[in-house]
Amino acid sequence: MTRPRAVPAYVTLAKHLWNHFEQWFTFVFDPRVEPTNWKAEQAIRPAVVNRKVWGGNRTAAGAKAQGVLMSVFETCRRRTLSVVDHISQTLRWFGNRLLPRPVLLPAR
């Protein structure tokens, strides 16, 4: 016989952790997986600082545009590609679809 839990939500959480143990604790079994999200936090830091310094975006479209641009900038930085060259190639491709489409990420 088990005693009832004081907080029902704890039972739900315990069941979830038990059922998804391998997903939650992958870093314990696979040394390639980081145990924290530090790298992800650092990757979005420039966007957060930009938002705080400039007061954020005034529209949802502005927020989306900034998110896309920051993603492109960070991907180019990590792959040691020129942001100016990539954006230039992308704009030329939009004007002439016969050119090869610029791709930042390799195909899976």
Side-chain angles (χ1 to χ4, degrees):
M1 182 169 140
T2 60
R3 62 187 178 110
R5 301 286 180 189
V7 180
Y10 292 170
V11 175
T12 304
L13 176 61
K15 285 180 184 177
H16 180 77
L17 289 174
W18 182 260
N19 292 332
H20 299 280
F21 182 83
E22 290 182 14
Q23 289 91 2
W24 277 98
F25 298 102
T26 301
F27 66 91
V28 173
F29 309 107
D30 188 346
R32 297 171 299 169
V33 177
E34 295 277 339
T36 69
N37 68 343
W38 183 82
K39 287 183 180 179
E41 292 282 344
Q42 293 304 305
I44 66 168
R45 186 171 172 74
V48 172
V49 170
N50 186 38
R51 184 191 74 222
K52 288 184 177 184
V53 169
W54 293 100
N57 295 290
R58 302 203 189 287
T59 66
K64 184 175 180 180
Q66 181 182 356
V68 169
L69 285 172
M70 294 303 290
S71 177
V72 169
F73 294 167
E74 182 62 18
T75 302
C76 285
R77 186 187 71 77
R78 287 176 180 233
R79 298 200 62 215
T80 62
L81 301 172
S82 166
V83 174
V84 173
D85 288 346
H86 176 73
I87 292 176
S88 174
Q89 290 170 2
T90 302
L91 291 174
R92 282 195 303 262
W93 176 78
F94 271 105
N96 181 358
R97 297 295 171 102
L98 298 176
L99 294 172
R101 182 178 185 171
V103 178
L104 278 178
L105 300 175
R108 289 184 175 213

